[in-house]
Amino acid sequence: MIFWLILFGIVTKNIAMKFGVPYLFLSPEYLGEVSWLSFFILGFSVGGYFMAFHLYSYILLGPSFPFIATLARPFFKFCINNSVIPLIFFITLCVNIVDIQMNEELMTAGDVFIQLLSLTAGTIFFIALSVFYFFKTNWNISTIQLRNKNKAKKNRSMYFFVGTLLSKKKFWFESHHAKVYKPSFYISSFRKISPARDSKHYRRRVLREVFRQNQLNASFFEIIVILSFFILGYFGDYGLVQIPSSASFMLLCTLAIMILTIFYSWFRGWAISIIAVTLIMLNVISAKTSFFQVRNFAYGLNYSHKNDYNLETINAIQFDSTEYRNDIEHHEKILDRWYEKATMLQDTIKPKLVLVNCSGGGLRAAMWSFYVLQQLNTNTENEFFDNVHMITGASGGMVGAAYYRELALQSMTSEVQPEDDEYLKNISKDLLNSTAFNMVMHDVFFRYKSSTINGQTYAKDRGFAFESQLNVNTDFVMDKRLVDYRKDERLANTPLMLFSPTIINDGRRLLMGSQPYGFMNGDLNTERTGPENVEFLKLFKENLPQSTKFTTVLRMNSTFPYILPMVTLPTEPEIQIMDAGIRDNYGTKSTVRYIAALKDWLQEHTSGVVLVELRDIQKDYDIEEHNSNLSLAERFIKPIGNFYGNYHHSQEYNATELVDNARSEEVPIDVVTFVLRNDPSDMISLSWHLTQREKNDIKRIFNSDRNQVEMDKLIDLLKLN
C-alpha cells in the first residue's frame, strides 16, 4: 500500500511537484517528444505494475480464499476482484493527464484522446500477454484432480516434474494454517457477479496443490520479467530503449514488488525479518569490503596517483607566494586582452568589466540563462557577449551559459548563429529520461557496463548517461576537455568560466576552470586556519587535470542529490563532490573574490564592474503569511521544514551582503538582474525536464516590464547601440 500511496501522491501532484516529478507521469517524453508512443510505453509499464501487484496479492492472500481454487482460471478471477485499486489509479492517472496535456502541454482534445487511447492500449497489451500466459498454465481443482488420476501415466511435463519436486517441500501454507474467508459474492467476469461457492467438501491437500502449482507458474513469470529487465538495461545505450522516466520508475516499483513476492512466497511470516537482516548484512558488507563500494569518477582525470588531502597540504598549495603572484599576473594579462576589445565596443578608455552570474535550477535555469544571453546579444547587435569577461554560477544556469559560450566561440570561425531558435530547443530538451533509465536499469543493482576514456575504464552509470544525453542534445559541441578552452580564454576570445562545486567532506569549494584560480583565497598576509577554496588544477597537478571532460565539470557543478551521483576524486582520504548550489547558488562568492583579488587592475583600467545576474528567482519577494495557530503536526515538522525552506533565502541574504560589502569608490559595482520567477510559488519545476507550458513561460517572462527595464539599464551602462 505504501507503493500505491506514493503513486497516487505523484499523479495527483501532491508529491514532489516542486521537482516536476508528476509531469514525468502526466507528460511522458520519449525520443525527445511527448507522443502517443510515449504514452503507450508508460501504459505498458503501468500494466506490468498492475500484474506484479496481483501476483503479490495472490500469493499473500490467495490461500485465505480457498474457494478460488475451485473456479476455472482461479488467478484470472482473483485479478478481476483485486483490481479496485489499480482501476481507481488508472482513472486518476487519466484525469490528471487530461489536465496537464490541455493546460501545460497545450494539446488539442483530439491529441489528448489519442494519448489516453495509447496509454490504455499499452496497459491492456501487457495485461493481455500476462493473461494469455496464465490461461495456458493456471490450474484449478479440476485440473489437479485430473492430473492425480493420470499420475500413473508418468506425465513428463515440466510443470509436473517441478511440482513433484516441490511437493516434498513443506510450504508456508502447510506449516501455517491460513485464516479462511468466504465472501458472499465475487466478480466472475467483467459483466457478472456470482455467489461464492463453498469449498469445505474439498480435501485441504488438493486445495494446497492448486495454490502451489499457481505459485510455481507465477515464479516462472516473475523470472521472465526480471530477466527482461536486465536485458533491457544491457541495451540501454540505444535511444530506442531509453524509455520515459515514469516508465523506468514503474519498472523499479514492479521489480520491488516482485522481489517482495518471492520473499513472501517462500518465507511468509519471516519475510520482513529476513529482508531487514539482509539489508543490514549488505550494509555491513559494503562498509567493511569493496564489494558494494560504488564510485563515480571525473572522466578524463588520471586516477593512478592519489594526493594528500589535509590542512597542511591544501594550505601549502593555496598560499605559495610565487604561485599567487603568477596567477595574478596571468589573469591581468587576460584582462589586458579583454581591455583592448572592450574599449572599442564601449567607446571609452575606461570600460565596464562585465561579469555574469547564473543561478542554479535544473533545466529551467539552463534554458533561462541561454535565452537571456540570446536576447541580450540580439538587442545589442551582437555586442553584449563580447563585453563579458567571466561567467560563474551553479547547476543548470552554468549548463545553459556554457552552451551559449561554445556557440558564440564557433560563430567566430563558422556560420553558426547562436541566436537561432534551434539551439534554444536543444538546451531545453529532456535530460532526465536517460538518467532515470540508467539509475533504474543499471545503478540500483549491478553496474555491468563500462566505457573507456583516455585509457581509463568507467562504469556507464547515470552520471555517464547524463553527460551522453547532454552531448546528444547539443550536437556534441561541448564534448571537449578543459584544456580545449584554455587558449581561447587566455586570448580573451571567449569569457572565462569558473565552476565551484562543493567538497561535501568539509564544505570547501573546489574551483575548476581552464585557468589557475589559486589567488581566489584572498591576501597572503591574512591569518587563517585554512582556505575556503581549493583549486582543482593545483591539487591534481599530477593527475592531468586539464584532460578532464568539460561535460564532467558541468555535471560536477550540477550534481543534485540522488539524481546524479557524487563524484569521487583521487585523494587520500577520498573526497566527494556535489552541486555548487550547496555553498553558492548564484556565483556571488566567486565574483566578489575575483573583484577583490584584481582590485588594483580594475581601479586603473575600468570605471567599475557590471554584474549581470541571471536569477532563477527574485530576492525581494514578500513574506509569506502563516497561521499563528499551529497544529500539533505543524509544531513537530515546522522547525525542520523552516530550516530547509529558508536555506535558499539565507543564501540570498548572504549574496546581497557580499555585493554590498564589495562596493567601493575605487571599483563601483552596478547590478543588473534578470529574474525568471517573481515568487517561490511560480511553478516551473526544478527538474531536468520541462513541459511546453514551462518552456513558453520562460520565453514570455523575459519580456516582462521588470526584465525589459533591466535590459535598458544594461545597454545604457555599457553604452551599447
Side-chain angles (χ1 to χ4, degrees):
M1 294 307 299
I2 292 175
F3 284 97
W4 282 116
L5 289 173
I6 293 172
L7 289 172
F8 271 104
I10 290 174
V11 301
T12 57
K13 295 168 285 194
N14 289 308
I15 292 180
M17 187 61 186
K18 176 182 177 182
F19 302 104
V21 174
Y23 291 137
L24 306 179
F25 285 78
L26 307 177
S27 186
E29 189 171 310
Y30 177 63
L31 297 179
E33 61 182 6
V34 178
S35 64
W36 69 268
L37 186 55
S38 63
F39 278 93
F40 181 86
I41 295 171
L42 174 60
F44 191 81
S45 67
V46 168
Y49 181 74
F50 286 176
M51 292 309 299
F53 172 68
H54 291 320
L55 284 170
Y56 173 80
S57 303
Y58 182 76
I59 288 176
L60 189 67
L61 303 176
S64 295
F65 298 90
F67 83 96
I68 296 173
T70 68
L71 306 176
R73 299 186 293 274
F75 179 70
F76 177 66
K77 300 288 177 61
F78 180 89
C79 291
I80 294 176
N81 289 270
N82 195 51
S83 293
V84 175
I85 296 177
L87 186 59
I88 293 174
F89 174 79
F90 189 79
I91 293 171
T92 304
L93 177 62
C94 290
V95 169
N96 284 278
I97 283 174
V98 172
D99 174 47
I100 292 299
Q101 291 302 308
M102 299 286 285
N103 299 315
E104 296 284 340
E105 294 291 357
L106 311 178
M107 294 288 186
T108 64
D111 291 333
V112 176
F113 176 76
I114 292 174
Q115 291 169 348
L116 293 180
L117 200 62
S118 300
L119 178 76
T120 306
T123 305
I124 292 175
F125 183 62
F126 189 96
I127 293 174
L129 289 176
S130 306
V131 168
F132 176 78
Y133 169 79
F134 284 107
F135 268 17
K136 293 292 185 180
T137 61
N138 205 205
W139 291 23
N140 61 9
I141 199 163
S142 300
T143 313
I144 292 291
Q145 289 174 335
L146 180 62
R147 190 205 69 170
N148 290 339
K149 288 180 182 180
N150 297 329
K151 198 171 183 180
K153 297 180 180 180
K154 297 182 179 180
N155 189 328
R156 297 178 181 272
S157 71
M158 176 175 61
Y159 293 112
F160 176 78
F161 176 71
V162 179
T164 302
L165 292 177
L166 290 175
S167 65
K168 298 178 182 179
K169 176 178 176 57
K170 196 172 185 179
F171 280 76
W172 56 264
F173 42 70
E174 294 179 280
S175 56
H176 300 277
H177 183 73
K179 189 173 182 179
V180 174
Y181 300 94
K182 180 182 175 297
S184 300
F185 296 91
Y186 73 99
I187 302 173
S188 57
S189 67
F190 294 112
R191 295 180 298 177
K192 185 179 179 182
I193 297 178
S194 304
R197 65 177 68 174
D198 196 355
S199 61
K200 291 182 179 178
H201 58 286
Y202 290 102
R203 297 175 64 184
R204 179 172 170 77
R205 181 183 63 80
V206 178
L207 293 174
R208 285 201 305 265
E209 286 190 43
V210 174
F211 287 110
R212 180 188 305 147
Q213 189 61 50
N214 290 332
Q215 177 194 353
L216 176 64
N217 295 338
S219 298
F220 283 137
F221 181 78
E222 289 169 344
I223 290 171
I224 292 171
V225 172
I226 291 172
L227 286 176
S228 301
F229 185 92
F230 288 108
I231 291 172
L232 195 63
Y234 183 78
F235 292 101
D237 292 341
Y238 298 95
L240 290 173
V241 180
Q242 293 176 3
I243 58 179
S245 306
S246 51
S248 297
F249 183 80
M250 294 302 299
L251 280 177
L252 183 61
C253 292
T254 300
L255 190 63
I257 288 288
M258 287 186 170
I259 291 173
L260 286 174
T261 302
I262 292 171
F263 271 93
Y264 268 106
S265 65
W266 289 96
F267 304 113
R268 182 53 173 165
W270 289 93
I272 295 296
S273 300
I274 291 174
I275 291 173
V277 170
T278 301
L279 292 176
I280 292 172
M281 289 178 61
L282 290 176
N283 185 62
V284 171
I285 292 172
S286 67
K288 301 297 183 181
T289 69
S290 61
F291 187 68
F292 287 108
Q293 291 295 329
V294 177
R295 294 177 177 84
N296 179 270
F297 302 101
Y299 306 137
L301 186 67
N302 190 300
Y303 279 75
S304 61
H305 173 77
K306 285 199 171 187
N307 305 274
D308 291 333
Y309 187 81
N310 53 55
L311 194 59
E312 181 181 354
T313 301
I314 58 179
N315 267 326
I317 292 172
Q318 302 300 128
F319 299 115
D320 179 272
S321 58
T322 302
E323 291 285 351
Y324 180 87
R325 285 191 293 272
N326 289 342
D327 289 353
I328 289 289
E329 291 174 3
H330 180 87
H331 276 267
E332 286 179 344
K333 289 178 181 178
I334 296 175
L335 283 166
D336 288 339
R337 297 185 183 97
W338 169 86
Y339 176 80
E340 294 173 5
K341 181 170 56 175
T343 51
M344 292 185 291
L345 291 170
Q346 298 181 34
D347 194 24
T348 177
I349 60 171
K350 279 207 164 188
K352 298 278 190 181
L353 182 77
V354 181
L355 306 176
V356 176
N357 284 3
C358 306
S359 73
L363 201 58
R364 73 185 181 200
M367 184 178 177
W368 175 245
S369 293
F370 187 89
Y371 187 67
V372 173
L373 292 175
Q374 270 191 330
Q375 294 303 306
L376 293 180
N377 227 30
T378 299
N379 284 279
T380 59
E381 298 180 357
N382 297 322
E383 291 186 354
F384 166 74
F385 201 69
D386 287 336
N387 281 277
V388 176
H389 172 65
M390 186 176 75
I391 305 171
T392 188
S395 194
M398 289 293 278
V399 175
Y403 184 43
Y404 187 87
R405 181 182 78 149
E406 174 59 35
L407 294 174
L409 184 60
Q410 290 192 9
S411 68
M412 297 172 62
T413 56
S414 67
E415 296 181 357
V416 169
Q417 297 295 325
E419 282 65 48
D420 285 353
D421 192 52
E422 66 172 297
Y423 300 121
L424 183 65
K425 291 179 180 177
N426 287 346
I427 199 61
S428 62
K429 287 180 181 178
D430 178 271
L431 281 168
L432 194 57
N433 273 357
S434 60
T435 305
F437 180 84
N438 275 270
M439 180 190 298
V440 172
M441 298 294 181
H442 194 244
D443 291 11
V444 173
F445 297 100
F446 303 106
R447 302 189 175 203
Y448 51 88
K449 298 177 67 179
S450 60
S451 179
T452 301
I453 300 173
N454 293 344
Q456 298 187 80
T457 301
Y458 306 98
K460 285 188 175 182
D461 58 9
R462 62 190 186 278
F464 186 92
F466 178 87
E467 291 188 36
S468 299
Q469 190 61 51
L470 178 61
N471 279 326
V472 170
N473 290 356
T474 56
D475 298 321
F476 291 88
V477 296
M478 293 189 292
D479 189 19
K480 294 183 174 182
R481 302 165 299 164
L482 271 180
V483 70
D484 295 327
Y485 289 103
R486 186 176 184 179
K487 181 178 179 180
D488 284 308
E489 285 187 1
R490 193 176 69 249
L491 297 176
N493 292 330
T494 191
L496 304 175
M497 286 201 83
L498 173 58
F499 302 89
S500 55
T502 305
I503 302 172
I504 63 170
N505 307 66
D506 56 17
R508 288 184 168 89
R509 301 192 310 148
L510 184 67
L511 300 185
M512 305 182 71
S514 300
Q515 311 303 323
Y517 290 98
F519 62 93
M520 296 276 283
N521 279 296
D523 193 335
L524 287 173
N525 298 319
T526 303
E527 292 186 7
R528 53 174 62 80
T529 57
E532 177 189 8
N533 304 310
V534 180
E535 190 192 346
F536 177 72
L537 295 184
K538 290 185 175 63
L539 179 61
F540 299 104
K541 61 182 179 180
E542 303 295 333
N543 304 83
L544 303 177
Q546 291 279 12
S547 296
T548 306
K549 290 192 66 176
F550 186 66
T551 50
T552 296
V553 177
L554 289 174
R555 175 169 61 88
M556 292 169 69
N557 205 57
S558 312
T559 304
F560 194 84
Y562 304 113
I563 302 301
L564 292 173
M566 298 183 297
V567 176
T568 299
L569 294 179
T571 59
E572 186 62 47
E574 288 183 342
I575 58 174
Q576 283 78 36
I577 307 301
M578 286 191 68
D579 201 301
I582 296 174
R583 286 293 315 278
D584 181 14
N585 196 48
Y586 308 100
T588 312
K589 292 180 71 66
S590 298
T591 297
V592 168
R593 283 191 175 277
Y594 189 84
I595 293 171
L598 293 160
K599 182 173 63 176
D600 293 341
W601 188 96
L602 295 175
Q603 182 179 350
E604 180 181 351
H605 294 85
T606 72
S607 58
V609 172
V610 175
L611 176 56
V612 181
E613 296 182 325
L614 311 183
R615 299 181 69 88
D616 177 67
I617 189 170
Q618 70 171 358
K619 52 189 171 186
D620 53 350
Y621 44 80
D622 293 333
I623 298 174
E624 296 182 29
E625 294 184 7
H626 296 285
N627 185 0
S628 58
N629 297 320
L630 301 178
S631 67
L632 291 176
E634 288 174 327
R635 290 177 186 276
F636 178 74
I637 63 177
K638 209 161 188 63
I640 299 295
N642 282 356
F643 175 79
Y644 287 104
N646 291 320
Y647 177 72
H648 283 295
H649 296 183
S650 64
Q651 284 207 12
E652 294 276 6
Y653 304 140
N654 290 338
T656 301
E657 184 180 24
L658 284 171
V659 174
D660 289 341
N661 291 338
R663 286 190 170 100
S664 64
E665 292 184 4
E666 295 83 6
V667 185
I669 301 175
D670 293 289
V671 180
V672 181
T673 305
F674 296 93
V675 178
L676 174 59
R677 298 182 301 144
N678 291 319
D679 189 87
S681 61
D682 293 343
M683 278 311 302
I684 301 179
S685 52
L686 175 61
S687 174
W688 291 110
H689 174 92
L690 294 173
T691 67
Q692 189 58 51
R693 192 270 305 167
E694 290 173 328
K695 294 175 184 178
N696 292 346
D697 281 353
I698 288 172
K699 292 192 287 186
R700 175 182 57 79
I701 289 170
F702 178 79
N703 294 316
S704 67
D705 292 341
R706 174 172 181 160
N707 286 327
Q708 291 303 302
V709 168
E710 292 296 293
M711 184 174 68
D712 292 339
K713 175 183 175 182
L714 176 64
I715 292 174
D716 184 59
L717 283 169
L718 300 181
K719 298 181 176 60
L720 303 177
N721 287 347

